[in-house]
Amino acid sequence: MKWSLNELRQVGGQPIEVDEILQLEDALKKRRPDIIGASKAHVHGLFSVDELGVLGYLQVNITLILPSTRSLEPVTLNLDFDLTEHYISHHEHDLSYFEDTDVVIVLKNDILDLDKVIEDNILLQIPMQVLTTAEKRADFEMPTGRDWNVISESQLKKIQEEKTELDPRFAKLQDFFSENSEE
């Protein structure tokens, strides 16, 4: 679904309601080849036009199938998120009207492509670490091999804390320089 900024401005003060089912699986796989599968995306929300441009409030719901980042087993990931973005013309150069926290998208050729907007935001919502239900459990045994093993962050912190503890054999030497500097 595409709109030009001029089309949206002609609507006037009335918000444009959106309730669409988008088939984005092929586009998502093209941009991120590790995606195994994707359901149709349900997009519900509205666009409102003001003097600054177009403001979109959208809710997106989609289910993705991705490989586990640890074992490569398929994981079903349900994404349900909201997004609020401002869309402005590529002719607009003054962004001082917007807050630092506002998401402002400059539209190429002044065309708002809903599919592209939703694709971008779905890809942004995919977490860095995708784990199966079993891998999320605390008692899950991490993969190991010959002369290597995978450890959790908590195990790594514990190892680092142990390394910072002073060897008792060197405890007397700890204050060696502080005593000599007083003389």
Side-chain angles (χ1 to χ4, degrees), residues 138 142 151-161:
M142 299 286 204
I151 59 173
S152 67
E153 286 184 40
S154 60
Q155 291 170 323
L156 177 63
K157 284 181 184 177
K158 185 177 178 182
I159 291 169
Q160 289 173 336
E161 288 171 1

Side-chain angles (χ1 to χ4, degrees), residues 15 21 36 41 47 64 81 100 103-104 117 139 142 147 174 178:
I21 303 292
I36 299 168
F47 289 103
L64 300 176
F81 60 92
D100 291 340
V103 178
V104 180
V117 167
D139 63 342
M142 299 286 204
D147 298 330
Q174 182 177 6
S178 61

Side-chain angles (χ1 to χ4, degrees), residues 116-131:
K116 189 78 168 148
V117 167
I118 302 304
E119 279 176 41
D120 291 344
N121 282 282
I122 289 170
L123 293 173
L124 287 171
Q125 292 294 319
I126 297 173
M128 294 293 291
Q129 189 175 57
V130 178
L131 300 174

Side-chain angles (χ1 to χ4, degrees), residues 72-157:
L72 300 179
E73 293 291 322
V75 177
T76 301
L77 179 67
N78 294 313
L79 297 177
D80 189 4
F81 60 92
D82 297 324
L83 66 106
T84 302
E85 295 180 336
H86 296 272
Y87 305 96
I88 62 171
S89 171
H90 69 280
H91 298 294
E92 180 67 42
H93 298 289
D94 184 13
L95 300 178
S96 63
Y97 300 109
F98 299 101
E99 299 289 325
D100 291 340
T101 57
D102 288 339
V103 178
V104 180
I105 308 296
V106 178
L107 297 174
K108 192 179 210 178
N109 300 326
D110 290 350
I111 301 293
L112 176 59
D113 183 353
L114 183 64
D115 290 4
K116 189 78 168 148
V117 167
I118 302 304
E119 279 176 41
D120 291 344
N121 282 282
I122 289 170
L123 293 173
L124 287 171
Q125 292 294 319
I126 297 173
M128 294 293 291
Q129 189 175 57
V130 178
L131 300 174
T132 64
T133 307
E135 291 169 340
K136 289 179 186 177
R137 288 194 329 260
D139 63 342
F140 179 74
E141 190 172 320
M142 299 286 204
T144 59
R146 185 174 175 191
D147 298 330
W148 66 271
N149 62 334
V150 177
I151 59 173
S152 67
E153 286 184 40
S154 60
Q155 291 170 323
L156 177 63
K157 284 181 184 177

